[in-house]
Amino acid sequence: MILNGESDECLELFGRFKARLRRILKTNGRVINWEAFKADILPIETLNALRNEIIYVNRNAFVANPQFTPFSYPWGGGCAFFLPCLNLLPVRSLKEVGFNKARELTHFREIRLIEDLKFFGDIAFIPSFCRTDIGESMFRDARSYFNSLTRNAEAFSQVAQRLKDSVFLTDEEMYATAAMYAEKTYGNRQLSLLNPEQKIHISKELHFKYNASNQQIRRLLKLDIGILNELFP
């Protein structure tokens, strides 16, 4: 989450979110080690850093699930960024949805506290609880946002290191990054034409700088998984 507020307020929001999630999963019979689920506030110091963090968050579902793009995941803010037709969607207020239905959809009983929430079908309408308009204003224009969304592997690497994330590039993006590095280093974008020593060198770049998994490297560079497991146990 990218939040604006006092640190104690941000931690209170996380605490409430954790408690509510815990109750829902317990009801569904899910057993979780909640000690590992803790909040850590990391201040965002500059405009450029804020842009990178927004992009990173809006890419999360796209990186994790091949069924989504950064613009199609319905539960994240990315689907609402720079979308001119957003205001044309048939959005309903909480009263129009009905209190009982709203309680069912939100798992929240104190309806008066979320009376400004709106719905698109059975999904909470993102701009009714997330200030995507402020997020958009951090970028020069829609083109600047799109370019950062698709061509900024270096920045993604820095954010991932800061957040201690493991995977932040898809296979296609990792391939493009590897090809660019190979061309810069060896004058050859064709990964299949690299010799074993060159492939090992590139595998280290992908592993240590871009958090590529051994399986990703195996797929991209056609290296033996046994060798990769020895290099990166």
Side-chain angles (χ1 to χ4, degrees):
M1 297 180 182
I2 299 178
L3 304 176
N4 176 27
E6 298 295 329
S7 60
D8 57 343
E9 293 175 339
C10 294
L11 289 173
E12 181 184 1
L13 173 62
F14 175 82
R16 292 187 178 192
F17 172 72
K18 178 178 178 178
R20 192 161 300 281
L21 184 61
R22 186 172 186 168
R23 285 198 295 272
I24 292 171
L25 293 183
K26 183 178 180 180
T27 301
N28 292 330
R30 296 284 300 279
V31 178
I32 303 291
N33 175 17
W34 293 102
E35 287 301 314
F37 188 43
K38 298 178 180 179
D40 190 10
I41 292 179
L42 301 175
I44 302 174
E45 307 283 357
T46 67
L47 174 59
N48 191 54
L50 177 57
R51 288 170 175 166
N52 291 336
E53 296 278 358
I54 290 172
I55 291 290
Y56 192 87
V57 169
N58 287 350
R59 282 171 43 89
N60 274 345
F62 158 69
V63 173
N65 191 328
Q67 301 303 314
F68 296 110
T69 74
F71 302 101
S72 66
Y73 182 63
W75 298 103
C79 65
F81 269 63
F82 297 102
L83 186 65
C85 65
L86 195 67
N87 294 327
L88 302 179
L89 296 177
V91 175
R92 295 181 296 166
S93 68
L94 187 144
K95 289 182 179 180
E96 290 173 312
V97 169
F99 292 158
N100 290 335
K101 183 65 174 178
R103 289 190 179 100
E104 177 189 335
L105 295 176
T106 62
H107 302 277
F108 193 74
R109 299 202 60 80
E110 299 179 64
I111 293 299
R112 62 183 179 81
L113 298 178
I114 56 172
E115 59 185 2
D116 293 332
L117 194 65
K118 294 180 173 57
F119 294 86
F120 173 54
D122 287 345
I123 297 175
F125 185 55
I126 301 295
S128 70
F129 68 89
C130 177
R131 291 299 302 272
T132 53
D133 57 326
I134 294 179
E136 288 179 349
S137 71
M138 297 298 107
F139 297 87
R140 289 188 294 274
D141 48 37
R143 179 185 294 170
S144 169
Y145 173 78
F146 183 78
N147 284 337
S148 297
L149 193 70
T150 56
R151 305 177 184 177
N152 214 354
E154 201 76 29
F156 303 153
S157 172
Q158 294 172 7
V159 175
Q161 290 176 15
R162 177 172 141 94
L163 300 180
K164 298 181 175 61
D165 272 353
S166 55
V167 178
F168 57 90
L169 294 179
T170 64
D171 277 10
E172 292 79 8
E173 291 172 325
M174 196 71 76
Y175 181 89
T177 300
M180 187 180 302
Y181 183 79
E183 182 177 39
K184 179 181 177 181
T185 308
Y186 303 115
N188 182 4
R189 289 182 61 88
Q190 298 295 318
L191 301 182
S192 60
L193 299 180
L194 298 176
N195 64 45
E197 183 180 344
Q198 292 170 336
K199 288 184 177 183
I200 292 296
H201 177 76
I202 291 180
S203 73
K204 292 178 180 179
E205 175 77 3
L206 298 180
H207 175 83
F208 291 114
K209 190 170 183 179
Y210 298 101
N211 288 2
S213 67
N214 288 359
Q215 288 295 341
Q216 270 188 316
I217 297 172
R218 179 190 64 79
R219 291 193 294 269
L220 296 179
L221 298 176
K222 303 297 187 283
L223 285 170
D224 183 85
I225 191 63
I227 295 175
L228 293 173
N229 288 338
E230 288 185 10
L231 285 171
F232 316 116

